[in-house]
Amino acid sequence: MPTSYKSFLRRCFFRSRRFRQTAGFLLRCLGYHRNLDLEHLAFYREEVLGPVQRDEALFLFSVLQLVKPRLVVEFGFLYGMSAFNFLRALAKDARLFSYEVDPAAFLRVRDEFTRDPRFQLLKKSQQDFHPSDIGFQSIDFLFFDGTHECEINRDTFRAVLPSLAPQAIVAVHDTGLWSLPAKPVLPASWATQDGGWLSADLFAHQAGERKFVNHILETYPEFSLIHFHSERAFRNGLTLIQKKESLALPKETRLVQAREL
Ligand SMILES: C[S@@+](CC[C@H](N)C(=O)[O-])C[C@H]1O[C@@H](n2cnc3c(N)ncnc32)[C@H](O)[C@@H]1O
């Protein structure tokens, strides 16, 4: 292909969204690249309380695509928005177990939810987690989005700890703050039992989740945390937790020829 032609295609790629959409569609039709299974996110909302927000779902989707967990456990199914998002990102041989206590959610799973064989609903409370629920396997990714009560999450974490894989990632939802400049009008129906103002502009909508994360920080020094919060957007907030680990290094380093790798 002449350089000028390649340069023209690069310019179209970088400057035109329509070009990327059309070319991407054609290339997918011709089987040149895999379609990322992201269409579901068009139906997820940003201004929502309960389910994961669209951008949070996109972020969690990417984390799962990156680390390719074999076994995912979720606490809190509700309508299945987070569970469905996980399934879209998971490999064919992965499994997802979701704990839920609300009988209405059980009916939704039976009548509405995907029949994906990788998914299993566990009709029990998260704090009753037992390794036999998941066939005594290790959990690679764990999502806390069930109860918002710190004490229950604390007990659940203690119960689930021996089942976590050494490099397991734990995500806790609703750890952020609502920023009034980002969303000046909050619906009255969003009043949470455990909410409180930190300042005139910042509302902790689930103080129990923040307390839970602080508990992990104080009680388990072997774990490190990173928060995905923003005051520039209406955000429910996620915190990711993983055991601290220094990275193994080769005994000696040197420049290698490509063919030696
Ligand atoms: C915030 S919603 C979950 C939203 C869901 N993860 C999503 O993003 O679509 C919380 C759910 O947790 C469930 N729940 C509350 N307490 C629980 C417990 N102790 N064990 C398991 N599920 C619980 C509630 O019934 C509710 O459906």
PDB file of all heavy atoms in Angstrom, residues 49-53 74-83 99-102 105 108 124-127 143 145-148 152 173-174, ligand 1:
ATOM      1  N   LEU A  49     -29.349   4.914  40.954  1.00  0.00           N
ATOM      2  CA  LEU A  49     -28.972   4.482  42.301  1.00  0.00           C
ATOM      3  C   LEU A  49     -29.339   3.010  42.414  1.00  0.00           C
ATOM      4  O   LEU A  49     -30.478   2.624  42.157  1.00  0.00           O
ATOM      5  CB  LEU A  49     -29.747   5.290  43.354  1.00  0.00           C
ATOM      6  CG  LEU A  49     -29.585   4.817  44.798  1.00  0.00           C
ATOM      7  CD1 LEU A  49     -28.156   5.002  45.272  1.00  0.00           C
ATOM      8  CD2 LEU A  49     -30.535   5.569  45.720  1.00  0.00           C
ATOM      9  N   GLY A  50     -28.401   2.192  42.790  1.00  0.00           N
ATOM     10  CA  GLY A  50     -28.641   0.741  42.900  1.00  0.00           C
ATOM     11  C   GLY A  50     -27.731  -0.004  41.954  1.00  0.00           C
ATOM     12  O   GLY A  50     -26.643  -0.433  42.350  1.00  0.00           O
ATOM     13  N   PRO A  51     -28.141  -0.154  40.690  1.00  0.00           N
ATOM     14  CA  PRO A  51     -27.269  -0.856  39.735  1.00  0.00           C
ATOM     15  C   PRO A  51     -25.993  -0.064  39.453  1.00  0.00           C
ATOM     16  O   PRO A  51     -25.935   1.139  39.701  1.00  0.00           O
ATOM     17  CB  PRO A  51     -28.120  -0.932  38.459  1.00  0.00           C
ATOM     18  CG  PRO A  51     -29.503  -0.614  38.871  1.00  0.00           C
ATOM     19  CD  PRO A  51     -29.419   0.251  40.085  1.00  0.00           C
ATOM     20  N   VAL A  52     -25.000  -0.748  38.887  1.00  0.00           N
ATOM     21  CA  VAL A  52     -23.781  -0.026  38.497  1.00  0.00           C
ATOM     22  C   VAL A  52     -24.121   0.998  37.417  1.00  0.00           C
ATOM     23  O   VAL A  52     -24.981   0.760  36.570  1.00  0.00           O
ATOM     24  CB  VAL A  52     -22.692  -0.987  37.956  1.00  0.00           C
ATOM     25  CG1 VAL A  52     -21.991  -1.715  39.058  1.00  0.00           C
ATOM     26  CG2 VAL A  52     -23.258  -1.962  36.922  1.00  0.00           C
ATOM     27  N   GLN A  53     -23.425   2.120  37.463  1.00  0.00           N
ATOM     28  CA  GLN A  53     -23.602   3.133  36.423  1.00  0.00           C
ATOM     29  C   GLN A  53     -22.927   2.649  35.142  1.00  0.00           C
ATOM     30  O   GLN A  53     -22.051   1.778  35.182  1.00  0.00           O
ATOM     31  CB  GLN A  53     -22.952   4.444  36.876  1.00  0.00           C
ATOM     32  CG  GLN A  53     -23.607   5.052  38.096  1.00  0.00           C
ATOM     33  CD  GLN A  53     -22.828   6.268  38.572  1.00  0.00           C
ATOM     34  OE1 GLN A  53     -21.863   6.145  39.311  1.00  0.00           O
ATOM     35  NE2 GLN A  53     -23.238   7.441  38.127  1.00  0.00           N
ATOM     36  N   GLU A  74     -20.340 -12.376  43.032  1.00  0.00           N
ATOM     37  CA  GLU A  74     -20.961 -11.066  43.236  1.00  0.00           C
ATOM     38  C   GLU A  74     -21.937 -11.161  44.397  1.00  0.00           C
ATOM     39  O   GLU A  74     -22.689 -12.135  44.499  1.00  0.00           O
ATOM     40  CB  GLU A  74     -21.686 -10.667  41.939  1.00  0.00           C
ATOM     41  CG  GLU A  74     -22.953  -9.906  42.145  1.00  0.00           C
ATOM     42  CD  GLU A  74     -23.678  -9.506  40.890  1.00  0.00           C
ATOM     43  OE1 GLU A  74     -23.238  -8.569  40.229  1.00  0.00           O
ATOM     44  OE2 GLU A  74     -24.717 -10.127  40.577  1.00  0.00           O
ATOM     45  N   PHE A  75     -21.956 -10.151  45.252  1.00  0.00           N
ATOM     46  CA  PHE A  75     -22.968 -10.046  46.303  1.00  0.00           C
ATOM     47  C   PHE A  75     -23.945  -8.948  45.887  1.00  0.00           C
ATOM     48  O   PHE A  75     -23.546  -7.783  45.789  1.00  0.00           O
ATOM     49  CB  PHE A  75     -22.317  -9.715  47.655  1.00  0.00           C
ATOM     50  CG  PHE A  75     -21.351 -10.771  48.140  1.00  0.00           C
ATOM     51  CD1 PHE A  75     -20.077 -10.443  48.562  1.00  0.00           C
ATOM     52  CD2 PHE A  75     -21.741 -12.109  48.176  1.00  0.00           C
ATOM     53  CE1 PHE A  75     -19.196 -11.422  49.004  1.00  0.00           C
ATOM     54  CE2 PHE A  75     -20.868 -13.097  48.617  1.00  0.00           C
ATOM     55  CZ  PHE A  75     -19.590 -12.753  49.027  1.00  0.00           C
ATOM     56  N   GLY A  76     -25.210  -9.314  45.618  1.00  0.00           N
ATOM     57  CA  GLY A  76     -26.218  -8.345  45.220  1.00  0.00           C
ATOM     58  C   GLY A  76     -26.519  -8.413  43.733  1.00  0.00           C
ATOM     59  O   GLY A  76     -25.766  -7.877  42.917  1.00  0.00           O
ATOM     60  N   PHE A  77     -27.626  -9.082  43.361  1.00  0.00           N
ATOM     61  CA  PHE A  77     -27.983  -9.274  41.955  1.00  0.00           C
ATOM     62  C   PHE A  77     -28.938  -8.178  41.478  1.00  0.00           C
ATOM     63  O   PHE A  77     -28.743  -7.608  40.413  1.00  0.00           O
ATOM     64  CB  PHE A  77     -28.618 -10.666  41.788  1.00  0.00           C
ATOM     65  CG  PHE A  77     -29.124 -10.937  40.402  1.00  0.00           C
ATOM     66  CD1 PHE A  77     -28.280 -11.420  39.413  1.00  0.00           C
ATOM     67  CD2 PHE A  77     -30.460 -10.708  40.067  1.00  0.00           C
ATOM     68  CE1 PHE A  77     -28.750 -11.664  38.131  1.00  0.00           C
ATOM     69  CE2 PHE A  77     -30.937 -10.941  38.793  1.00  0.00           C
ATOM     70  CZ  PHE A  77     -30.082 -11.430  37.820  1.00  0.00           C
ATOM     71  N   LEU A  78     -29.968  -7.909  42.257  1.00  0.00           N
ATOM     72  CA  LEU A  78     -31.045  -6.947  41.934  1.00  0.00           C
ATOM     73  C   LEU A  78     -31.683  -7.289  40.581  1.00  0.00           C
ATOM     74  O   LEU A  78     -32.390  -8.265  40.465  1.00  0.00           O
ATOM     75  CB  LEU A  78     -30.525  -5.508  41.997  1.00  0.00           C
ATOM     76  CG  LEU A  78     -31.563  -4.395  41.925  1.00  0.00           C
ATOM     77  CD1 LEU A  78     -32.529  -4.456  43.095  1.00  0.00           C
ATOM     78  CD2 LEU A  78     -30.907  -3.015  41.879  1.00  0.00           C
ATOM     79  N   TYR A  79     -31.428  -6.469  39.523  1.00  0.00           N
ATOM     80  CA  TYR A  79     -31.975  -6.772  38.190  1.00  0.00           C
ATOM     81  C   TYR A  79     -30.963  -7.500  37.309  1.00  0.00           C
ATOM     82  O   TYR A  79     -31.250  -7.839  36.173  1.00  0.00           O
ATOM     83  CB  TYR A  79     -32.411  -5.481  37.482  1.00  0.00           C
ATOM     84  CG  TYR A  79     -33.628  -4.850  38.108  1.00  0.00           C
ATOM     85  CD1 TYR A  79     -33.492  -3.876  39.086  1.00  0.00           C
ATOM     86  CD2 TYR A  79     -34.915  -5.249  37.748  1.00  0.00           C
ATOM     87  CE1 TYR A  79     -34.599  -3.309  39.691  1.00  0.00           C
ATOM     88  CE2 TYR A  79     -36.031  -4.691  38.338  1.00  0.00           C
ATOM     89  CZ  TYR A  79     -35.863  -3.720  39.316  1.00  0.00           C
ATOM     90  OH  TYR A  79     -36.954  -3.172  39.899  1.00  0.00           O
ATOM     91  N   GLY A  80     -29.748  -7.647  37.843  1.00  0.00           N
ATOM     92  CA  GLY A  80     -28.738  -8.388  37.080  1.00  0.00           C
ATOM     93  C   GLY A  80     -27.887  -7.539  36.149  1.00  0.00           C
ATOM     94  O   GLY A  80     -27.212  -8.078  35.268  1.00  0.00           O
ATOM     95  N   MET A  81     -27.905  -6.203  36.349  1.00  0.00           N
ATOM     96  CA  MET A  81     -27.134  -5.357  35.422  1.00  0.00           C
ATOM     97  C   MET A  81     -25.630  -5.600  35.571  1.00  0.00           C
ATOM     98  O   MET A  81     -24.915  -5.703  34.562  1.00  0.00           O
ATOM     99  CB  MET A  81     -27.451  -3.865  35.649  1.00  0.00           C
ATOM    100  CG  MET A  81     -28.917  -3.527  35.498  1.00  0.00           C
ATOM    101  SD  MET A  81     -29.591  -4.037  33.911  1.00  0.00           S
ATOM    102  CE  MET A  81     -29.477  -2.536  32.972  1.00  0.00           C
ATOM    103  N   SER A  82     -25.144  -5.706  36.802  1.00  0.00           N
ATOM    104  CA  SER A  82     -23.702  -5.972  36.982  1.00  0.00           C
ATOM    105  C   SER A  82     -23.388  -7.396  36.553  1.00  0.00           C
ATOM    106  O   SER A  82     -22.377  -7.648  35.885  1.00  0.00           O
ATOM    107  CB  SER A  82     -23.272  -5.723  38.428  1.00  0.00           C
ATOM    108  OG  SER A  82     -24.105  -6.432  39.319  1.00  0.00           O
ATOM    109  N   ALA A  83     -24.258  -8.348  36.907  1.00  0.00           N
ATOM    110  CA  ALA A  83     -24.006  -9.757  36.542  1.00  0.00           C
ATOM    111  C   ALA A  83     -23.946  -9.908  35.025  1.00  0.00           C
ATOM    112  O   ALA A  83     -23.057 -10.579  34.489  1.00  0.00           O
ATOM    113  CB  ALA A  83     -25.111 -10.647  37.126  1.00  0.00           C
ATOM    114  N   TYR A  99     -24.937 -13.825  44.765  1.00  0.00           N
ATOM    115  CA  TYR A  99     -25.718 -14.023  45.998  1.00  0.00           C
ATOM    116  C   TYR A  99     -26.809 -12.968  46.061  1.00  0.00           C
ATOM    117  O   TYR A  99     -26.544 -11.782  45.811  1.00  0.00           O
ATOM    118  CB  TYR A  99     -24.822 -13.874  47.235  1.00  0.00           C
ATOM    119  CG  TYR A  99     -23.877 -15.025  47.457  1.00  0.00           C
ATOM    120  CD1 TYR A  99     -22.812 -15.251  46.595  1.00  0.00           C
ATOM    121  CD2 TYR A  99     -24.060 -15.889  48.533  1.00  0.00           C
ATOM    122  CE1 TYR A  99     -21.957 -16.313  46.791  1.00  0.00           C
ATOM    123  CE2 TYR A  99     -23.190 -16.955  48.741  1.00  0.00           C
ATOM    124  CZ  TYR A  99     -22.144 -17.161  47.858  1.00  0.00           C
ATOM    125  OH  TYR A  99     -21.283 -18.216  48.055  1.00  0.00           O
ATOM    126  N   GLU A 100     -28.019 -13.411  46.436  1.00  0.00           N
ATOM    127  CA  GLU A 100     -29.135 -12.468  46.508  1.00  0.00           C
ATOM    128  C   GLU A 100     -30.136 -12.992  47.555  1.00  0.00           C
ATOM    129  O   GLU A 100     -30.305 -14.205  47.698  1.00  0.00           O
ATOM    130  CB  GLU A 100     -29.797 -12.334  45.125  1.00  0.00           C
ATOM    131  CG  GLU A 100     -31.007 -11.445  45.050  1.00  0.00           C
ATOM    132  CD  GLU A 100     -30.786 -10.006  45.508  1.00  0.00           C
ATOM    133  OE1 GLU A 100     -30.002  -9.282  44.897  1.00  0.00           O
ATOM    134  OE2 GLU A 100     -31.419  -9.619  46.517  1.00  0.00           O
ATOM    135  N   VAL A 101     -30.796 -12.045  48.266  1.00  0.00           N
ATOM    136  CA  VAL A 101     -31.763 -12.439  49.295  1.00  0.00           C
ATOM    137  C   VAL A 101     -33.203 -12.076  48.934  1.00  0.00           C
ATOM    138  O   VAL A 101     -34.134 -12.519  49.611  1.00  0.00           O
ATOM    139  CB  VAL A 101     -31.412 -11.800  50.663  1.00  0.00           C
ATOM    140  CG1 VAL A 101     -30.192 -12.461  51.272  1.00  0.00           C
ATOM    141  CG2 VAL A 101     -31.204 -10.293  50.534  1.00  0.00           C
ATOM    142  N   ASP A 102     -33.385 -11.284  47.899  1.00  0.00           N
ATOM    143  CA  ASP A 102     -34.726 -10.801  47.569  1.00  0.00           C
ATOM    144  C   ASP A 102     -35.459 -11.804  46.664  1.00  0.00           C
ATOM    145  O   ASP A 102     -35.024 -12.034  45.525  1.00  0.00           O
ATOM    146  CB  ASP A 102     -34.592  -9.435  46.867  1.00  0.00           C
ATOM    147  CG  ASP A 102     -35.946  -8.852  46.492  1.00  0.00           C
ATOM    148  OD1 ASP A 102     -36.981  -9.485  46.807  1.00  0.00           O
ATOM    149  OD2 ASP A 102     -35.964  -7.775  45.871  1.00  0.00           O
ATOM    150  N   ALA A 105     -36.078 -10.926  43.079  1.00  0.00           N
ATOM    151  CA  ALA A 105     -34.921 -11.077  42.164  1.00  0.00           C
ATOM    152  C   ALA A 105     -34.810 -12.530  41.701  1.00  0.00           C
ATOM    153  O   ALA A 105     -34.436 -12.781  40.551  1.00  0.00           O
ATOM    154  CB  ALA A 105     -33.640 -10.624  42.861  1.00  0.00           C
ATOM    155  N   ARG A 108     -37.082 -12.864  38.878  1.00  0.00           N
ATOM    156  CA  ARG A 108     -36.558 -12.197  37.671  1.00  0.00           C
ATOM    157  C   ARG A 108     -35.534 -13.090  36.976  1.00  0.00           C
ATOM    158  O   ARG A 108     -35.500 -13.168  35.756  1.00  0.00           O
ATOM    159  CB  ARG A 108     -35.932 -10.842  38.045  1.00  0.00           C
ATOM    160  CG  ARG A 108     -36.961  -9.754  38.311  1.00  0.00           C
ATOM    161  CD  ARG A 108     -36.319  -8.384  38.309  1.00  0.00           C
ATOM    162  NE  ARG A 108     -35.511  -8.132  39.484  1.00  0.00           N
ATOM    163  CZ  ARG A 108     -35.971  -7.623  40.624  1.00  0.00           C
ATOM    164  NH1 ARG A 108     -37.266  -7.336  40.737  1.00  0.00           N
ATOM    165  NH2 ARG A 108     -35.170  -7.406  41.641  1.00  0.00           N
ATOM    166  N   LYS A 124     -29.037 -16.963  48.911  1.00  0.00           N
ATOM    167  CA  LYS A 124     -28.627 -16.903  50.313  1.00  0.00           C
ATOM    168  C   LYS A 124     -27.906 -15.587  50.579  1.00  0.00           C
ATOM    169  O   LYS A 124     -27.428 -14.931  49.643  1.00  0.00           O
ATOM    170  CB  LYS A 124     -27.758 -18.110  50.675  1.00  0.00           C
ATOM    171  CG  LYS A 124     -26.425 -18.189  49.965  1.00  0.00           C
ATOM    172  CD  LYS A 124     -25.729 -19.529  50.211  1.00  0.00           C
ATOM    173  CE  LYS A 124     -25.151 -19.635  51.597  1.00  0.00           C
ATOM    174  NZ  LYS A 124     -24.214 -20.782  51.730  1.00  0.00           N
ATOM    175  N   SER A 125     -27.851 -15.245  51.872  1.00  0.00           N
ATOM    176  CA  SER A 125     -27.218 -13.992  52.239  1.00  0.00           C
ATOM    177  C   SER A 125     -25.704 -14.105  52.091  1.00  0.00           C
ATOM    178  O   SER A 125     -25.123 -15.166  52.335  1.00  0.00           O
ATOM    179  CB  SER A 125     -27.588 -13.640  53.679  1.00  0.00           C
ATOM    180  OG  SER A 125     -26.861 -12.511  54.071  1.00  0.00           O
ATOM    181  N   GLN A 126     -25.112 -12.991  51.744  1.00  0.00           N
ATOM    182  CA  GLN A 126     -23.665 -12.977  51.509  1.00  0.00           C
ATOM    183  C   GLN A 126     -22.871 -13.407  52.732  1.00  0.00           C
ATOM    184  O   GLN A 126     -21.826 -14.040  52.607  1.00  0.00           O
ATOM    185  CB  GLN A 126     -23.232 -11.585  51.041  1.00  0.00           C
ATOM    186  CG  GLN A 126     -23.561 -10.466  52.040  1.00  0.00           C
ATOM    187  CD  GLN A 126     -23.084  -9.125  51.551  1.00  0.00           C
ATOM    188  OE1 GLN A 126     -23.640  -8.570  50.606  1.00  0.00           O
ATOM    189  NE2 GLN A 126     -22.070  -8.571  52.198  1.00  0.00           N
ATOM    190  N   GLN A 127     -23.375 -13.068  53.951  1.00  0.00           N
ATOM    191  CA  GLN A 127     -22.561 -13.418  55.128  1.00  0.00           C
ATOM    192  C   GLN A 127     -22.609 -14.913  55.441  1.00  0.00           C
ATOM    193  O   GLN A 127     -21.843 -15.400  56.262  1.00  0.00           O
ATOM    194  CB  GLN A 127     -22.904 -12.575  56.371  1.00  0.00           C
ATOM    195  CG  GLN A 127     -24.118 -12.975  57.131  1.00  0.00           C
ATOM    196  CD  GLN A 127     -25.274 -12.033  56.826  1.00  0.00           C
ATOM    197  OE1 GLN A 127     -25.512 -11.680  55.672  1.00  0.00           O
ATOM    198  NE2 GLN A 127     -26.015 -11.650  57.842  1.00  0.00           N
ATOM    199  N   PHE A 143     -17.165  -9.038  43.863  1.00  0.00           N
ATOM    200  CA  PHE A 143     -17.852  -7.744  43.771  1.00  0.00           C
ATOM    201  C   PHE A 143     -18.810  -7.583  44.951  1.00  0.00           C
ATOM    202  O   PHE A 143     -19.750  -8.375  45.093  1.00  0.00           O
ATOM    203  CB  PHE A 143     -18.623  -7.685  42.441  1.00  0.00           C
ATOM    204  CG  PHE A 143     -19.235  -6.346  42.146  1.00  0.00           C
ATOM    205  CD1 PHE A 143     -18.503  -5.167  42.269  1.00  0.00           C
ATOM    206  CD2 PHE A 143     -20.553  -6.253  41.713  1.00  0.00           C
ATOM    207  CE1 PHE A 143     -19.063  -3.940  41.984  1.00  0.00           C
ATOM    208  CE2 PHE A 143     -21.120  -5.025  41.418  1.00  0.00           C
ATOM    209  CZ  PHE A 143     -20.377  -3.868  41.555  1.00  0.00           C
ATOM    210  N   ASP A 145     -21.739  -5.680  46.286  1.00  0.00           N
ATOM    211  CA  ASP A 145     -22.809  -4.733  45.948  1.00  0.00           C
ATOM    212  C   ASP A 145     -24.139  -5.269  46.477  1.00  0.00           C
ATOM    213  O   ASP A 145     -25.164  -5.165  45.828  1.00  0.00           O
ATOM    214  CB  ASP A 145     -22.872  -4.512  44.429  1.00  0.00           C
ATOM    215  CG  ASP A 145     -23.659  -3.254  44.073  1.00  0.00           C
ATOM    216  OD1 ASP A 145     -23.847  -2.393  44.949  1.00  0.00           O
ATOM    217  OD2 ASP A 145     -24.078  -3.134  42.911  1.00  0.00           O
ATOM    218  N   GLY A 146     -24.081  -5.878  47.663  1.00  0.00           N
ATOM    219  CA  GLY A 146     -25.297  -6.428  48.274  1.00  0.00           C
ATOM    220  C   GLY A 146     -25.776  -5.493  49.363  1.00  0.00           C
ATOM    221  O   GLY A 146     -26.255  -4.398  49.096  1.00  0.00           O
ATOM    222  N   THR A 147     -25.607  -5.929  50.594  1.00  0.00           N
ATOM    223  CA  THR A 147     -25.999  -5.066  51.702  1.00  0.00           C
ATOM    224  C   THR A 147     -25.065  -3.858  51.755  1.00  0.00           C
ATOM    225  O   THR A 147     -23.937  -3.919  51.262  1.00  0.00           O
ATOM    226  CB  THR A 147     -25.883  -5.825  53.038  1.00  0.00           C
ATOM    227  OG1 THR A 147     -26.232  -4.941  54.099  1.00  0.00           O
ATOM    228  CG2 THR A 147     -24.478  -6.324  53.276  1.00  0.00           C
ATOM    229  N   HIS A 148     -25.543  -2.765  52.331  1.00  0.00           N
ATOM    230  CA  HIS A 148     -24.670  -1.604  52.512  1.00  0.00           C
ATOM    231  C   HIS A 148     -24.239  -1.480  53.969  1.00  0.00           C
ATOM    232  O   HIS A 148     -23.649  -0.479  54.365  1.00  0.00           O
ATOM    233  CB  HIS A 148     -25.385  -0.330  52.039  1.00  0.00           C
ATOM    234  CG  HIS A 148     -25.749  -0.385  50.583  1.00  0.00           C
ATOM    235  ND1 HIS A 148     -24.807  -0.494  49.587  1.00  0.00           N
ATOM    236  CD2 HIS A 148     -26.960  -0.380  49.956  1.00  0.00           C
ATOM    237  CE1 HIS A 148     -25.411  -0.530  48.404  1.00  0.00           C
ATOM    238  NE2 HIS A 148     -26.717  -0.470  48.610  1.00  0.00           N
ATOM    239  N   ILE A 152     -22.117  -6.315  58.226  1.00  0.00           N
ATOM    240  CA  ILE A 152     -22.359  -7.531  57.420  1.00  0.00           C
ATOM    241  C   ILE A 152     -21.240  -7.688  56.387  1.00  0.00           C
ATOM    242  O   ILE A 152     -20.712  -8.785  56.183  1.00  0.00           O
ATOM    243  CB  ILE A 152     -23.750  -7.483  56.741  1.00  0.00           C
ATOM    244  CG1 ILE A 152     -24.841  -7.417  57.813  1.00  0.00           C
ATOM    245  CG2 ILE A 152     -23.954  -8.713  55.854  1.00  0.00           C
ATOM    246  CD1 ILE A 152     -26.250  -7.384  57.279  1.00  0.00           C
ATOM    247  N   HIS A 173     -18.683  -1.487  45.643  1.00  0.00           N
ATOM    248  CA  HIS A 173     -19.470  -0.436  44.981  1.00  0.00           C
ATOM    249  C   HIS A 173     -20.018   0.542  46.013  1.00  0.00           C
ATOM    250  O   HIS A 173     -20.145   0.211  47.188  1.00  0.00           O
ATOM    251  CB  HIS A 173     -20.633  -1.086  44.189  1.00  0.00           C
ATOM    252  CG  HIS A 173     -21.302  -0.140  43.250  1.00  0.00           C
ATOM    253  ND1 HIS A 173     -22.663  -0.145  43.028  1.00  0.00           N
ATOM    254  CD2 HIS A 173     -20.805   0.857  42.466  1.00  0.00           C
ATOM    255  CE1 HIS A 173     -22.963   0.781  42.142  1.00  0.00           C
ATOM    256  NE2 HIS A 173     -21.850   1.400  41.785  1.00  0.00           N
ATOM    257  N   ASP A 174     -20.331   1.759  45.552  1.00  0.00           N
ATOM    258  CA  ASP A 174     -20.968   2.792  46.379  1.00  0.00           C
ATOM    259  C   ASP A 174     -20.061   3.364  47.450  1.00  0.00           C
ATOM    260  O   ASP A 174     -20.533   3.747  48.529  1.00  0.00           O
ATOM    261  CB  ASP A 174     -22.257   2.247  47.024  1.00  0.00           C
ATOM    262  CG  ASP A 174     -23.352   2.010  46.007  1.00  0.00           C
ATOM    263  OD1 ASP A 174     -23.584   2.881  45.170  1.00  0.00           O
ATOM    264  OD2 ASP A 174     -23.967   0.921  46.042  1.00  0.00           O
TER     265      ASP A 174
HETATM  266  C1  LIG B   1     -27.369  -2.269  44.962  1.00  0.00           C
HETATM  267  S1  LIG B   1     -28.339  -3.680  44.621  1.00  0.00           S
HETATM  268  C2  LIG B   1     -27.317  -4.629  43.538  1.00  0.00           C
HETATM  269  C3  LIG B   1     -27.171  -4.035  42.182  1.00  0.00           C
HETATM  270  C4  LIG B   1     -26.505  -4.949  41.181  1.00  0.00           C
HETATM  271  N1  LIG B   1     -25.206  -5.393  41.636  1.00  0.00           N
HETATM  272  C5  LIG B   1     -26.352  -4.231  39.856  1.00  0.00           C
HETATM  273  O1  LIG B   1     -25.355  -3.505  39.683  1.00  0.00           O
HETATM  274  O2  LIG B   1     -27.214  -4.370  38.997  1.00  0.00           O
HETATM  275  C6  LIG B   1     -28.248  -4.570  46.100  1.00  0.00           C
HETATM  276  C7  LIG B   1     -28.879  -5.941  46.079  1.00  0.00           C
HETATM  277  O3  LIG B   1     -28.321  -6.675  47.163  1.00  0.00           O
HETATM  278  C8  LIG B   1     -29.306  -7.467  47.741  1.00  0.00           C
HETATM  279  N2  LIG B   1     -28.899  -7.749  49.128  1.00  0.00           N
HETATM  280  C9  LIG B   1     -29.115  -7.006  50.232  1.00  0.00           C
HETATM  281  N3  LIG B   1     -28.619  -7.606  51.315  1.00  0.00           N
HETATM  282  C10 LIG B   1     -28.032  -8.752  50.882  1.00  0.00           C
HETATM  283  C11 LIG B   1     -27.332  -9.824  51.527  1.00  0.00           C
HETATM  284  N4  LIG B   1     -27.139  -9.817  52.841  1.00  0.00           N
HETATM  285  N5  LIG B   1     -26.881 -10.858  50.782  1.00  0.00           N
HETATM  286  C12 LIG B   1     -27.077 -10.869  49.415  1.00  0.00           C
HETATM  287  N6  LIG B   1     -27.745  -9.892  48.757  1.00  0.00           N
HETATM  288  C13 LIG B   1     -28.204  -8.842  49.476  1.00  0.00           C
HETATM  289  C14 LIG B   1     -30.576  -6.634  47.632  1.00  0.00           C
HETATM  290  O4  LIG B   1     -31.723  -7.457  47.678  1.00  0.00           O
HETATM  291  C15 LIG B   1     -30.372  -5.946  46.290  1.00  0.00           C
HETATM  292  O5  LIG B   1     -30.995  -6.671  45.267  1.00  0.00           O
END
